[in-house]
Amino acid sequence: PKLVSLLLFLLFQRPFSKPCPMFGEAALRRACNFSQLLKLLACMGLDFFGSASYFMPGFGEAVDVAYAPAQAAALKIVFRSNSIALLGFAEEILPFTDVLPTATIAWVLEIHGYFDRPEAP
């Protein structure tokens, strides 16, 4: 956990300067939360298994047809977002798009608050 925290710190803050406005302290605090780190690991696992079809030439795209709904369901559960689930489904079902780390990108968007719902008045 300390190594991951250090890597996240270096990613979100330039050394010896003020925090980058795009990657502020709030995002760093949110990213270093234990549950968010576990979610990052799960997202990286989803992306890895989605890309694993490239290791099976010819057979890989057929596996993607079966994996696309599973990834979409997992993304819907993890991020509670139909948009991310649809994007993950499209990424898996379309040929040659498996290299995109959709789940990890969604995690980055989440820690920066893109999925925060406005509070009701």
Side-chain angles (χ1 to χ4, degrees):
K2 287 184 181 183
L3 178 62
V4 172
S5 297
L6 176 64
L7 289 173
L8 288 171
F9 176 78
L10 293 174
L11 177 66
F12 292 107
Q13 185 166 346
R14 287 178 270 158
F16 310 112
S17 68
K18 292 188 273 186
C20 178
M22 189 173 171
F23 305 112
E25 268 186 54
L28 180 62
R29 264 195 308 267
R30 196 182 287 190
C32 289
N33 182 344
F34 183 71
S35 65
Q36 283 292 338
L37 292 174
L38 284 177
K39 189 183 280 190
L40 173 62
L41 235 99
C43 289
M44 291 170 67
L46 280 172
D47 289 332
F48 174 77
F49 287 118
S51 298
S53 64
Y54 278 124
F55 299 120
M56 300 176 279
F59 185 65
E61 292 303 324
V63 172
D64 284 345
V65 171
Y67 183 69
Q71 183 178 16
L75 289 172
K76 171 67 176 162
I77 291 168
V78 170
F79 294 107
R80 287 179 252 129
S81 169
N82 290 330
S83 303
I84 293 299
L86 183 62
L87 185 65
F89 180 83
E91 181 249 332
E92 282 301 321
I93 207 79
L94 293 173
F96 310 113
T97 57
D98 289 343
V99 295
L100 298 171
T102 309
T104 305
I105 291 170
W107 179 84
V108 170
L109 291 174
E110 182 180 61
I111 64 164
H112 287 293
Y114 286 97
F115 300 133
D116 290 348
R117 291 178 173 73
E119 293 181 20

